[in-house]
Amino acid sequence: VEAVHGRAEDMARMESYRERQDLVVSRAVAHMSTLLEYCMPFVRPGGLFISYKSGKYREELEQSRKACAILSAKLVSETPFQLPGTDIDRSFLVFKKTKKVSKKFPRKAGLPAKQPLG
């Protein structure tokens, strides 16, 4: 494991990181379409992106259909669960990258959150 610090918008443009990772993970830090735009450019075609989301992800996922199409992300599994000892729902959403992503993604800092792909 190698830990690298940097903005996704910058790192995803670097040849040494773009579309090279077998697996990319995220925590629930943004809307699904924004996370897809930040993470999918790192995933190699055939690789996986796993997003950790709240249990109420279905509407967000529906709103991200366009982003999935643009970013070559195919949802392959959903794993809902409760945090042990609580009534808090969480989910793992697993996406498979089907082909390369346009080099225009991710867009410049702030745009994915302000103007989501859909």
Side-chain angles (χ1 to χ4, degrees):
V1 173
E2 176 187 357
V4 179
H5 183 273
R7 293 192 65 88
E9 302 94 321
D10 300 328
M11 302 296 287
R13 301 210 178 283
M14 299 172 68
E15 189 81 22
S16 56
Y17 295 107
R18 187 170 186 88
E19 297 189 321
R20 303 269 183 180
Q21 311 310 312
D22 294 321
L23 176 67
V24 173
V25 298
S26 76
R27 56 193 181 108
V29 296
H31 190 276
M32 193 73 245
S33 59
T34 302
L35 287 174
L36 287 163
E37 185 168 351
Y38 285 147
C39 295
M40 292 308 289
F42 290 100
V43 181
R44 69 166 177 77
L48 300 175
F49 164 52
I50 302 175
S51 180
Y52 175 76
K53 298 298 286 179
S54 75
K56 299 175 181 156
Y57 66 89
R58 292 205 184 276
E59 182 178 339
E60 194 173 317
L61 191 58
E62 182 64 32
Q63 294 168 350
S64 301
R65 282 182 182 258
K66 184 177 177 184
C68 284
I70 292 170
L71 300 165
S72 304
K74 180 182 178 186
L75 181 67
V76 293
S77 73
E78 305 171 39
T79 307
F81 59 94
Q82 273 192 335
L83 294 177
T86 74
D87 61 352
I88 300 172
D89 295 325
R90 294 289 184 261
S91 298
F92 288 124
L93 304 179
V94 180
F95 297 86
K96 184 173 186 174
K97 185 168 184 175
T98 58
K99 61 184 180 182
K100 288 189 172 203
V101 171
S102 170
K103 291 192 178 196
K104 68 181 179 181
F105 298 108
R107 296 169 290 163
K108 67 181 183 174
L111 269 182
K114 290 178 187 170
Q115 297 174 2
L117 294 174

